[in-house]
Structure formats: structure tokens, C-alpha cells
């Protein structure tokens, strides 16, 4: 690290900096800002050649956030939230990236970021009570504290299909898109995967590709975005009440403000149910799932929401076979996987150049020189787009060799599924903080709200430690086990456990038994728990 770029550690310290932050996306940049404000010296290391995290990597056509732009932004600076102008209800990836770059410039954060620096290992040195970070180029940096701002959906899962190397066309991954973009004009294209990324990319690719073959494993619930330009009055109304609205969002279940339906679907006559769903469908966005208060808790209410979406798909998709394949099974609860938000997704399957293949029943056999084969069919292709998702939540942590106290790696510790206390720290890994990690509300929520809550908690914890003359913090094994057991029990009342999704650590991902990885009690409740722990001087942690 150039001395000019790295902030040096406090005088008298043998460490390079007080805190190392790994990753320079939304979380990493906020960590720099807050920790610096708290008087710590800080250095962020970023693998890419630019800042922005997922919003730097996910440049596929149609990439947008499914949280409304007025809510998907930092709240830490009143000036920032007043001066920034979002142009659309749901911001595009380029606009979000421009916002991130603006924030980094405005608050002078770039000088603390070392780009093109992939961290390969982080080792706790007991004799120094410090973390030694090693980068791919062989540099070593030591810091008292290590903040893992590595993202939950940032380790793009690479396809395991055989023959990939023989393919003469182009292979792309939505989560690792080329900066130069990609021209689909006149090309025969396949997209594998129909989650949020696939659902956004498919309508855009279909517009220019000669042909588009969508390979679907599971039909997905999706609601229309009804994206639009934000008008000045609407923005003014938000800005006039930002402080109050942000505070409400901090305590809202998913950190996003919606019109929360107070009635139960179970207690609402069918005609009124339909009218409410229609109203929300016309409005667009994930607020559809907030139509009634019991959609996540009652299988009957959940099925009513699912049936409504199934009926909408039936109205749109003309071809009976495509319609059948695109209709989510009644056994799949709505919300057990993150609901998708689309612009013209189902309509796209009415185009003549778009085909849909059911790879659940006709699985992909492999990739060849000129295309791809399923068990029953062969497709000549110029380009294959993988929209198959990420090694979620723990994936980017697992890519780094993290070795804690007693020389135990995080991979060994988490071989039966991830465990954390409060989603923030791991027993055996002192002074190492996770941001939106397993055991926290994380990807169940508006990530901006969860990121701010975590960074604020971590900063305040480090300030308290400094005031008390402490330099060591580690959670107890018992507190950690109880936290994860409680989080899993909490999820039993939700639809999550009734579906196979990436929310679960499963035997396939090395966890036995199958466990829910997140805290599903809502960001408000979670915030209160974390704040209470801080107020009581950190029970469940060993601080000295
Ligand atoms: O990934 P996914 P994603 N062979 O894992 C299929 C956020 N995000 O990148 O359902 C064939 O959800 C898989 O099938 P199945 C958001 O939190 C947000 O789309 O497992 N198919 C599924 O269809 C989101 O939830 C935004 O049966 C395979 C798809 O690929 C998260 O990122 C935009 C397969 C993967 O879906 C992840 O979304 C984009 C295989 N081997 C992303 N493996 C917005 O804000 C997987 N699939 C809008």
C-alpha cells in the first residue's frame, strides 16, 4: 500500500492501521466514513478496479434495484439526501453506481481505498492481538480490527456444466458483467436462470437477440415494477420528511416503507381480497406482499396471493405450454424465495423469438463447441448467459482464508452451517466484524438500512472499547449457539422453511441439518436487540 493512500495507525502503534475494511461497496464506503469520523485510521481493500461492489459487477442489461430509489440510499448525511436527485422510481445500475461515486468523492473516501487488491487471507495474530491481511500480490497489512464488507450476493456462482471450455461463443454471468457491455444484436442467445437477475435481463436481451432460449428450473413469482420517472412533487414530499421517513424505515420489518395492509386475508371476503391485490398489482413493486398482514404467516393467505399471481400470468402468456411452465407451483409459498420485480417479463414469452425450456424435466447435459444440449434437445448458440446467482451470504467470506484464534479457519468452523452472534461476530474470531452476515436480517431487508445499522453498531462498539481502554472483543460460543438456534426457530413460522432456496444452508452447501441462515424477526426488532446489548455493555461478548 502506498503510504500516501493508506491512513497510518495511531501514533505509537505498530499496526499499519486501526481497521482494515475488505470491500468498497455501499458497506465498505460507509465503514470508512464512520470509522474515520470516530478517529480510527482505516484502509479499505477492493478486489475490483473500481468501487461500487455489486453495483460495479452487475452491469447486465435491465439491472435495477427492486427497492425504490428514494429508500435505497444512505441516510447518514442530510445534505447528501437533499442534494441527490434520483430520476426514476427504481434506479438503474448506472445511476446507482454514479451515486456511489458521488458519495465517495463528496466525502473524500477514495483516498482510503486500495483498488485491484484481492485479499487472499486474514489471520488473527494472538501475540499482537491483530489481524494480518495478505493480498494476492503478496503484500501484508496489520490492523487491530477487520471489517468484512464483502457483500452477500457478490461471489458469482460459476456454472458446473461440463464442456464449458469447448464453447466457441461467449459466456457471460449477470453478476460479473463486462464493463464494455455486450451487443446481443443478431445473436442466438440462451439465458440460464430465472431469479431476479434473469427476470430483469431476459426482456432486454429478447429485444435485440435473434433468438432467446430461456432455460428455467423453477417458475418464479414476479410482480410488475411499474417503474416510472419520479416527478418533482413526489421527490419534494420525500425530502421534506426524510428524517421522519428514514426513522420509520429503520423500524419497519424489512427496512422499507410500504403501505402495510392491517387486515388479515383470512378474515377478508374473497372479492375484497381480489380488489386489494388488484390495487397493489396496478401500483407495482414488492408492496404487493404487504397487502394483508398474514401473507407470510398463514398458508391460506399466502396461497391467495399466489393464486392471484398465477391468474395474472395466465392472462398474459398466450402459449398454453409456456403458460404452464411459467406458472409457479401451488406448493411453493410466495416469499419463500425473494419475490421478483419485473418489467414485461411474462409478456416477453409472447415474442416469436423467445423460447422456454423446462430444465427440471429436460436437464442440461452439457455445453459443446456450438451450443448446449439438454437431455432431449440441442441448441446452436452464439452466447450463453448464466443468471444462476451467487454463493450467497457466506460465499465471499469463504473465498478468503480466514484463520482465527487457535489457528482454526472460518471454513472449518462453519462446516455444518454458519454461526454468528447477532450476525456481527464469530466466536473464535476476535476483532473481526461481519456486515450483513449470516444470522442478521441481511438480504431479507433493504440492504441500505441493514448496512447502516451494522456500521453504526460496529463504530459505536469500537468507540466504547476505546473509551474503556479495551482492544479485544469476541462473542461467547454459548451466546452464538443460542442466537442461531433462536433465529432458526423464528423462521419456522415463516414461509422460508417450506421451500428450497438460497436462504437455507443445506446439506448440499455443506450444512447438516438444513438451517435458515438469516434473522427473520425484522430489522426493527433486530436493531432493538443489538442496541440493548450495547447499552448493557455487551453481554455475550468477552471484551477486555
Ligand atoms: O440469483 P437467484 P439472482 N442450473 O439465485 C437458477 C439480488 N438481486 O442473481 O430457482 C440451472 O435468485 C435458479 O433456479 P432454482 C436479490 O436479492 C436483486 O437472480 O434454484 N438453473 C434460479 O432460477 C436476488 O434474490 C436485484 O431452481 C440454475 C436462478 O438460476 C439475488 O440477488 C437484481 C442452476 C438463480 O436465481 C439473487 O438473484 C438481481 C443450475 N445449476 C439480483 N443454479 C434487484 O434488486 C441456479 N439456477 C432487482
Amino acid at each position: 500500500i502506498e503510504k500516501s493512500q493508506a491512513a497510518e495507525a495511531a501514533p505509537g502503534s505498530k499496526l499499519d492501521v486501526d481497521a482494515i475494511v475488505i470491500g468498497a461497496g455501499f458497506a465498505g464506503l460507509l465503514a470508512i466514513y464512520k470509522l474515520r469520523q470516530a478517529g480510527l485510521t482505516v484502509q479499505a481493500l477492493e478486489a475490483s478496479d473500481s468501487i461500487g461492489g455489486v453495483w460495479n459487477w452487475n452491469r447486465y442489461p435491465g439491472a435495477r434495484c427492486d427497492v425504490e430509489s428514494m429508500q435505497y440510499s444512505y441516510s447518514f448525511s442530510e445534505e447528501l439526501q437533499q442534494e441527490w436527485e434520483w430520476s426514476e422510481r427504481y434506479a438503474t445500475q448506472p445511476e446507482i453506481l454514479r451515486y456511489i461515486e458521488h458519495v465517495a468523492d463528496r466525502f473524500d473516501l477514495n483516498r482510503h481505498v486500495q483498488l485491484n487488491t484481492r485479499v487472499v487471507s486474514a489471520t488473527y495474530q494472538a501475540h499482537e492481538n491483530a489481524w494480518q491481511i495478505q493480498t494476492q500480490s503478496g503484500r501484508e497489512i496489520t490492523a487491530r480490527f477487520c471489517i468484512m464488507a464483502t457483500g452477500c450476493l457478490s461471489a458469482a456462482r460459476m456454472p458446473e456444466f461440463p464442456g464449458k471450455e469447448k464453447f466457441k461463443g461467449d459466456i457471460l454471468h449477470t453478476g460479473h458483467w463486462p464493463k464494455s457491455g455486450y451487443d446481443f444484436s443478431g445473436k442466438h442467445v440462451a439465458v440460464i436462470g430465472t431469479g431476479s437477475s434473469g427476470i430483469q435481463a431476459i426482456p432486454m436481451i429478447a429485444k435485440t437477440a435473434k433468438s432467446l432460449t430461456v432455460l428455467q428450473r423453477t417458475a418464479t413469482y414476479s410482480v410488475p415494477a411499474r417503474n416510472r420517472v419520479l416527478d418533482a412533487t413526489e421527490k419534494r414530499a420525500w425530502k421534506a420528511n426524510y428524517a421522519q421517513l428514514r426513522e420509520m424505515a429503520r423500524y419497519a420489518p424489512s427496512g422499507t416503507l410500504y403501505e402495510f395492509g392491517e387486515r388479515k386475508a383470512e378474515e377478508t371476503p374473497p372479492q375484497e381480497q381480489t380488489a386489494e391485490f388488484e390495487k397493489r398489482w396496478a401500483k407495482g413493486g414488492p408492496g404487493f406482499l404487504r397487502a394483508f398482514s398474514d401473507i407470510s404467516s398463514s398458508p391460506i393467505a399466502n396461497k391467495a396471493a399466489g393464486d392471484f399471481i398465477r391468474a395474472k400470468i395466465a392472462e398474459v402468456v398466450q402459449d398454453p405450454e409456456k403458460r404452464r411452465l411459467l406458472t409457479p407451483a401451488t406448493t411453493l409459498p410466495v416469499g419463500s424465495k425473494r419475490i421478483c420485480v419485473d418489467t414485461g417479463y411474462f409478456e416477453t414469452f409472447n415474442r416469436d423469438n423467445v423460447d422456454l425450456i423446462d430444465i427440471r424435466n429436460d436437464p442440461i447435459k452439457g455445453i459443446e463447441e456450438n451450443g448446449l444440449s439438454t437431455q432431449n434437445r440441442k441448441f446452436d448458440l452464439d452466447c450463453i448467459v448464466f443468471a444462476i446467482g451467487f454463493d450467497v451470504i457466506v460465499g465471499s467470506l469463504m473465498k478468503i482464508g480466514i484463520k482465527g484464534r487457535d489457528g482454526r479457519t472460518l471454513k472449518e468452523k462453519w462446516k455444518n452451517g454458519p454461526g454468528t452472534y447477532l450476525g456481527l461476530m464469530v466466536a473464535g474470531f476476535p476483532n473481526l466484524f461481519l456486515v450483513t452476515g449470516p444470522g442478521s436480517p441481511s438480504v431479507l431487508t433493504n440492504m441500505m438500512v441493514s448496512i447502516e445499522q451494522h456500521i453504526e453498531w460496529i463504530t459505536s462498539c469500537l468507540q466504547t472499547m476505546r473509551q474503556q481502554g479495551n482492544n479485544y472483543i469476541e462473542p461467547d460460543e454459548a451466546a452464538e449457539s443460542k442466537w442461531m438456534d433462536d433465529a432458526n426457530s423464528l423462521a419456522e413460522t415463516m414461509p422460508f422453511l417450506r421451500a428450497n432456496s438460497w436462504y437455507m444452508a443445506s446439506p448440499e452447501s455443506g450444512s447438516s441439518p438444513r438451517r435458515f441462515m438469516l434473522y427473520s424477526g425484522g430489522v426493527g426488532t433486530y436493531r432493538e436487540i443489538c442496541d440493548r446489548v450495547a447499552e448493557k455493555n455487551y453481554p455475550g461478548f468477552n471484551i477486555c
Side-chain angles (χ1 to χ4, degrees):
I1 292 181
E2 298 295 327
K3 281 287 179 199
S4 58
Q5 284 186 313
E8 287 173 50
S13 164
K14 277 194 257 141
L15 306 176
D16 292 312
V17 282
D18 295 327
I20 278 281
V21 174
I22 305 182
F26 269 123
L29 293 173
L30 184 64
I32 297 173
Y33 176 79
K34 288 281 180 187
L35 295 174
R36 188 182 64 185
Q37 204 176 37
L40 275 80
T41 56
V42 55
Q43 175 70 56
L45 304 174
E46 166 58 54
S48 169
D49 61 1
S50 358
I51 60 169
V54 290
W55 296 108
N56 168 39
W57 293 110
N58 285 258
R59 293 168 184 254
Y60 60 85
R64 280 178 196 277
C65 185
D66 60 6
V67 177
E68 296 190 17
S69 48
M70 297 307 290
Q71 304 199 51
Y72 191 80
S73 47
Y74 288 122
S75 73
F76 70 85
S77 157
E78 179 59 12
E79 292 80 21
L80 172 68
Q81 64 186 9
Q82 289 300 331
E83 77 193 13
W84 183 261
E85 293 287 332
W86 291 107
S87 59
E88 294 177 71
R89 178 181 181 190
Y90 295 103
T92 59
Q93 172 274 329
E95 191 171 24
I96 298 172
L97 194 54
R98 276 201 301 281
Y99 171 76
I100 294 173
E101 285 162 356
H102 168 77
V103 173
D105 284 342
R106 197 187 187 291
F107 297 97
D108 188 23
L109 306 177
N110 287 311
R111 73 187 161 92
H112 300 282
V113 182
Q114 178 87 30
L115 299 171
N116 297 306
T117 306
R118 182 168 288 285
V119 172
V120 289
S121 68
T123 311
Y124 178 69
Q125 310 280 351
H127 58 286
E128 280 181 307
N129 180 29
W131 282 91
Q132 187 177 65
I133 309 299
Q134 186 141 34
T135 72
Q136 201 162 35
S137 62
R139 295 210 69 118
E140 281 177 0
I141 306 140
T142 49
R144 176 79 68 225
F145 302 102
C146 187
I147 320 289
M148 307 303 292
T150 40
C152 300
L153 299 161
S154 48
R157 187 173 337 123
M158 286 306 165
E160 68 262 30
F161 307 109
K164 191 167 62 98
E165 62 296 339
K166 293 188 213 141
F167 185 53
K168 283 194 171 151
D170 299 313
I171 288 189
L172 302 171
H173 193 296
T174 47
H176 205 147
W177 205 259
K179 270 191 174 173
S180 51
Y182 188 83
D183 184 6
F184 290 97
S185 318
K187 298 208 163 91
H188 296 284
V189 182
V191 173
I192 306 176
T194 55
S196 298
S197 306
I199 271 179
Q200 289 184 330
I202 286 164
M204 299 298 287
I205 297 173
K207 283 183 193 162
T208 51
K210 175 109 172 119
S211 72
L212 171 61
T213 306
V214 176
L215 298 121
Q216 173 191 272
R217 194 162 69 178
T218 309
T220 317
Y221 289 107
S222 186
V223 294
R226 312 267 185 234
N227 185 40
R228 54 182 163 74
V229 168
L230 280 176
D231 68 48
T233 324
E234 202 174 350
K235 283 193 273 188
R236 259 200 310 276
W238 266 97
K239 289 185 178 185
N241 296 300
Y242 241 145
Q244 190 192 349
L245 293 167
R246 298 284 202 191
E247 191 58 15
M248 280 161 70
R250 284 185 191 111
Y251 289 89
S254 65
T256 311
L257 295 178
Y258 298 110
E259 189 190 332
F260 295 100
E262 281 168 15
R263 282 189 303 173
K264 291 188 167 171
E266 276 198 28
E267 294 165 4
T268 308
Q271 266 183 337
E272 286 176 40
Q273 258 185 32
T274 309
E276 184 62 30
F277 284 136
E278 282 291 0
K279 188 185 91 184
R280 294 189 179 242
W281 192 263
K283 190 173 181 199
F288 175 84
L289 285 186
R290 305 288 171 181
F292 297 98
S293 61
D294 54 351
I295 290 182
S296 9
S297 56
S298 147
I300 295 169
N302 193 284
K303 180 163 179 305
D307 286 346
F308 183 89
I309 300 178
R310 277 182 280 276
K312 286 291 181 193
I313 296 170
E315 277 173 24
V316 172
V317 184
Q318 289 154 10
D319 177 79
E321 181 56 8
K322 286 183 184 168
R323 192 189 308 142
R324 185 182 69 78
L325 292 178
L326 288 167
T327 304
T330 47
T331 47
L332 181 71
V334 192
S336 54
K337 295 178 174 188
R338 187 179 171 107
I339 194 155
C340 296
V341 180
D342 72 275
T343 300
Y345 175 66
F346 295 111
E347 290 81 350
T348 298
F349 292 90
N350 294 335
R351 294 177 68 108
D352 292 337
N353 67 334
V354 178
D355 203 0
L356 177 65
I357 307 301
D358 171 15
I359 53 171
R360 174 85 53 198
N361 288 310
D362 183 14
I364 296 172
K365 227 168 53 185
I367 296 173
E368 298 116 25
E369 212 178 306
N370 297 317
L372 172 160
S373 289
T374 62
Q375 216 74 53
N376 303 327
R377 293 179 63 177
K378 192 168 166 34
F379 302 90
D380 282 343
L381 299 167
D382 300 307
C383 172
I384 304 175
V385 176
F386 289 97
I388 61 171
F390 301 89
D391 290 326
V392 296
I393 306 170
V394 298
S396 48
L397 294 170
M398 291 294 110
K399 277 166 106 176
I400 301 171
I402 302 175
K403 206 179 259 184
R405 193 169 46 72
D406 309 328
R408 194 177 182 202
T409 66
L410 192 63
K411 214 175 211 160
E412 283 159 6
K413 159 119 190 183
W414 283 1
K415 68 179 191 298
N416 292 325
T420 64
Y421 179 43
L422 299 175
L424 280 157
M425 294 196 82
V426 185
F429 297 78
N431 296 358
L432 180 95
F433 293 91
L434 310 180
V435 184
T436 64
S440 79
S442 185
V443 289
L444 297 177
T445 70
N446 176 351
M447 289 301 275
M448 295 305 297
V449 171
S450 284
I451 284 171
E452 287 195 330
Q453 186 256 335
H454 266 190
I455 300 294
E456 281 162 16
W457 192 93
I458 293 166
T459 307
S460 152
C461 172
L462 296 185
Q463 279 175 308
T464 306
M465 285 175 66
R466 179 168 277 191
Q467 280 155 15
Q468 294 179 169
N470 307 133
N471 58 19
Y472 181 100
I473 176 164
E474 185 196 344
D476 304 337
E477 289 279 358
E480 179 175 293
S481 308
K482 182 169 179 339
W483 177 253
M484 292 309 282
D485 287 346
D486 289 353
N488 215 55
S489 310
L490 201 58
E492 275 165 22
T493 59
M494 311 273 179
F496 309 121
L497 299 193
R498 287 184 272 135
N500 275 323
S501 77
W502 53 255
Y503 292 150
M504 310 293 299
S506 60
E508 298 84 66
S509 63
S511 169
S512 180
R514 193 167 163 263
R515 279 174 81 90
F516 188 62
M517 280 199 271
L518 302 163
Y519 174 86
S520 59
V523 274
T525 309
Y526 174 76
R527 177 186 301 276
E528 281 162 4
I529 296 170
C530 293
D531 287 351
R532 237 182 355 255
V533 169
E535 275 156 27
K536 292 185 175 165
N537 206 18
Y538 303 94
F541 290 97
N542 172 17
I543 297 195
C544 52

